[in-house]
Amino acid sequence: MKGMTGVVLAGGQSRRFGSPKAFAKFSGKYFFEIAVEALRTVVEDIYIVSHPSLIDCFRQKTVEKVIMDDERYRGQGPLAGIYTVMKKSEAEWIFVLPCDMPYMRPEVAVKLAKYANEEFDAIICAHFGRIQPLVGMYHRRTFGQIKKLLQAKDNRMKSLLHRCHVRYVTEQDFWENEVVFRNVNKPNECDDIVT
């Protein structure tokens, strides 16, 4: 078993954004690169999980592994992405980040990774009362539950969390500015974005 694999979830439709969010730029970096840089500080391996229509574009812009969801569960959102990486990786923990948090910093990943603990199935950021299922770590023992949910066509992240022993990490555990956890859904929500 390896320690930790990173997953950048970049398969969303970006309807409100108007173009694929992963390729928007903030401070000169693609959104997806910001997530990759944060994860690189704590993981041994990184996968970018994306939509079939974006795979070629990713492959032109990065040397990271770019994959699509397992065909059986394609279109079932982040849960399908986590399932697909768990199938491919032997890592004990899967560290997930979305591609639409341009203020995310490597220091956050380092602080969160310290909470990985065998007693828990998932370690999730819940700063300022906002649970962030896509900023966290999932132990590979959750694989069976994820598969059951996908088979039942229940792809809600909260359905998985309800079935897991979760450690919610808050601002009481480590302090970060609230903006770090902001998802950007429209270009005008963030200064210095280039689409």
Side-chain angles (χ1 to χ4, degrees):
M1 281 282 186
K2 289 191 284 180
M4 202 175 285
T5 287
V7 180
V8 177
L9 296 169
Q13 299 290 314
S14 305
R15 285 187 193 97
R16 286 179 288 173
F17 200 76
S19 61
K21 283 194 265 188
F23 304 120
K25 282 191 169 180
F26 177 69
S27 295
K29 292 177 189 165
Y30 291 116
F31 275 23
F32 82 86
E33 288 177 316
I34 293 166
V36 165
E37 281 181 15
L39 288 168
R40 193 175 305 293
T41 58
V42 293
V43 303
E44 296 166 29
D45 214 4
I46 294 177
Y47 289 88
I48 297 169
V49 185
S50 191
H51 188 271
S53 65
L54 300 177
I55 296 292
D56 288 342
C57 196
F58 269 110
R59 291 191 174 142
Q60 290 165 21
K61 297 179 189 310
T62 183
V63 296
E64 305 299 340
K65 296 182 194 79
V66 184
I67 61 172
M68 295 178 280
D69 289 336
D70 185 291
E71 212 170 324
R72 280 167 295 184
Y73 305 121
R74 197 162 292 162
Q76 288 198 56
L79 211 55
I82 295 167
Y83 169 87
T84 302
V85 174
M86 280 188 175
K87 263 187 77 175
K88 290 185 173 295
S89 170
E90 293 181 6
E92 206 162 319
W93 289 95
I94 302 295
F95 195 135
V96 180
L97 282 180
C99 76
D100 62 355
M101 285 188 165
Y103 297 105
M104 183 52 66
R105 302 176 323 113
E107 295 85 344
V108 177
V110 170
K111 290 173 188 174
L112 187 60
K114 289 178 181 168
Y115 287 89
N117 181 323
E118 286 297 314
E119 289 178 36
F120 297 98
D121 303 319
I123 316 292
I124 304 297
C125 270
H127 282 62
F128 312 104
R130 189 160 170 237
I131 293 170
Q132 300 266 11
L134 304 186
V135 181
M137 298 174 286
Y138 294 87
H139 196 278
R140 76 173 304 103
R141 77 174 74 92
T142 60
F143 181 79
Q145 288 289 356
I146 293 171
K147 187 174 184 180
K148 279 184 200 165
L149 288 167
L150 289 169
Q151 287 171 337
K153 300 271 192 279
D154 181 356
N155 58 2
R156 294 169 302 170
M157 292 302 297
K158 70 177 178 185
S159 295
L160 175 62
L161 297 181
H162 287 323
R163 289 162 173 76
C164 292
H165 187 202
V166 182
R167 165 70 155 96
Y168 291 103
V169 179
T170 73
E171 66 277 10
Q172 309 297 317
D173 298 300
F174 70 83
W175 178 261
E176 274 300 332
N177 191 310
E178 197 166 354
V179 73
V180 168
F181 303 102
R182 186 192 296 167
N183 298 88
V184 172
N185 292 309
K186 297 176 184 170
N188 63 0
E189 287 178 2
C190 178
D191 295 335
D192 197 23
I193 283 186
V194 179
T195 56

